[in-house]
Structure formats: C-alpha cells, structure tokens
C-alpha cells in the first residue's frame, strides 16, 4: 500500500484530518519515506496531517506528559488506523471505543495472527481498504473497509473483561491439547 496515496485519499476524498504517530522504534528511513510521499501527493498537507513523533518530543516532557498527549490524540479522533505490528495500540484504541482499522494484518505471524483473528471475530477491528477514488458500488457500508455490509462494531469493554478473555484462552489451550492428543488439526 502506497502510504502517500492512502493519506491523499483520506484527506482529499473523505475530507479527514490525519495524525501520524511515530514510535521510538520507527526507523528514520520510514519517516523520510512518509514525509516524501506526503510532499509529493498532498498539496498543503500541513493543514490536514499532523505528525507526532515520540522520539523527538521535547526532552523536557516527562513520560507522563507524552502519555497524556497521546491519550488526547486518541480521545479526539473519530477513527484509528494502525499497522498490524501495533497490537498494544490496537487494544488501547478498542478500549476507548474507537472504530479501529488495521493495515497489513495479512503479513502477521504467530501471536499477532491470533490476536487480530480474535479481535476481528469479535467485530472490534476491520481491515483497512481505501479504494481508488469514490466507490462505484451501492453496497458501501464503510468507505474505510471492504465493500459490503459490515456487522456493528463490537463492545471492546465487554471483550476485554477478565472472564471473557480467560474463557477464550481456556478454549484455545483445550483445542491445542486436543490437536496434540489426536494428531488432528482444529476446525
């Protein structure tokens, strides 16, 4: 997915404002590529796109101040779009009741695959899909996700409760044990 074109569609087609959050782990090469793509594809991007880079925030800011600023960004947002490597940020956005979209979830492995399957089955996230231009189909329920009718967003507070989480983990362990005993894969 071309980052510059995706941002361009969000800003120009949907008339949205975008906040790009860089963590301490975001490489300088990635940051430079995103800056370059914005300059090339979005005229006057300064009014529509804000970049929050936690690695270069003022050194006088405490960790608590950075957390408060990040919380404010999430609270003021209408929807959250994340890359699939940010499972903690996904859980945070879901817990705040924000519609959450995930990019690149098909590239996940191991526990990330299981996590995103779990939250997707609970209707807490949707895969990000930004079509080229305006949708020509009349079946568009959510222009940020795939075509068709989507179920209502799930309740993240209910899903992340201790009892529900423990029942999911218990079921996964029992299925894994059954696979080991019988030699057959789960359904």
């Amino acid at each position: 997915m071309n980052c510059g074109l995706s941002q361009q569609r969000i800003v120009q087609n949907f008339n949205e404002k975008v906040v790009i959050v860089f963590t301490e782990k975001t490489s300088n090469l990635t940051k430079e590529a995103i800056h370059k793509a914005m300059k090339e594809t979005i005229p006057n991007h300064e009014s529509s796109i804000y970049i929050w880079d936690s690695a270069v925030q003022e050194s006088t800011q405490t960790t608590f101040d950075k957390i408060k600023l990040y919380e404010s960004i999430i609270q003021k947002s209408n929807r959250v779009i994340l890359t699939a490597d940010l499972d903690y940020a996904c859980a945070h956005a879901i817990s705040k009741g924000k519609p959450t979209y995930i990019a690149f979830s098909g590239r996940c492995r191991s526990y990330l695959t299981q996590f995103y399957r779990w939250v997707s089955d609970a209707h807490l996230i949707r895969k990000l899909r930004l079509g080229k231009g305006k949708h020509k189909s009349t079946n568009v329920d959510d222009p940020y996700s795939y075509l068709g009718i989507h179920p209502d967003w799930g309740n993240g507070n209910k899903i992340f409760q201790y009892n529900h989480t423990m029942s999911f983990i218990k079921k996964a362990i029992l299925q894994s044990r059954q696979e080991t005993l019988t030699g057959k894969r789960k359904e």
Side-chain angles (χ1 to χ4, degrees):
M1 179 164 80
N2 185 327
C3 187
L5 292 177
S6 299
Q7 293 167 5
Q8 181 183 23
R9 289 183 198 123
I10 292 171
V11 170
Q12 293 176 347
N13 293 358
F14 303 128
N15 199 24
E16 301 273 4
K17 296 198 183 294
V18 175
V19 175
I20 299 174
V21 177
F22 293 135
T23 65
E24 289 85 5
K25 295 180 180 181
T26 307
S27 70
N28 286 333
L29 187 61
T30 301
K31 292 176 188 179
E32 290 169 11
I34 290 174
H35 283 291
K36 181 180 176 190
M38 281 189 313
K39 289 177 184 175
E40 291 175 356
T41 59
I42 306 171
N44 301 324
H45 65 276
E46 296 86 9
S47 63
S48 302
I49 298 176
Y50 174 75
I51 295 180
W52 186 73
D53 190 346
S54 63
V56 296
Q57 292 297 321
E58 292 181 29
S59 60
T60 58
Q61 283 186 323
T62 64
T63 302
F64 183 69
D65 291 335
K66 289 180 183 179
I67 291 170
K68 284 191 332 189
L69 180 60
Y70 180 75
E71 281 286 327
S72 173
I73 291 170
I74 295 297
Q75 286 291 31
K76 292 178 182 176
S77 66
N78 293 328
R79 56 184 59 82
V80 178
I81 300 172
L82 301 166
T83 55
D85 61 330
L86 299 172
D87 55 335
Y88 59 91
C90 179
H92 179 261
I94 290 169
S95 70
K96 297 298 181 187
K98 300 298 179 178
T100 305
Y101 300 86
I102 303 298
F104 311 119
S105 62
R107 297 182 183 180
C108 292
R109 300 289 178 262
S110 187
Y111 81 94
L112 283 175
T113 302
Q114 294 172 355
F115 174 76
Y116 286 117
R117 169 88 42 161
W118 176 51
V119 293
S120 179
D121 289 347
H123 307 296
L124 299 175
I125 64 167
R126 293 182 184 161
K127 287 185 179 180
L128 178 67
R129 176 196 177 274
L130 295 172
K132 295 180 180 179
K134 303 230 183 222
H135 295 289
K136 294 181 178 155
S137 172
T138 58
N139 292 350
V140 177
D141 183 38
D142 184 351
Y144 285 87
S145 192
Y146 286 88
L147 300 177
I149 306 301
H150 297 278
D152 291 337
W153 290 97
N155 183 352
N157 291 329
K158 179 181 175 189
I159 300 299
F160 285 141
Q161 286 180 352
Y162 178 77
N163 291 338
H164 186 276
T165 304
M166 291 310 292
S167 67
F168 175 79
I169 292 170
K170 180 181 174 184
K171 181 181 172 187
I173 290 171
L174 290 174
Q175 282 179 342
S176 177
R177 184 170 187 270
Q178 193 64 23
E179 286 176 14
T180 304
L181 292 175
T182 63
K184 296 180 181 177
R185 292 187 179 216
K186 65 180 180 180
E187 304 167 3

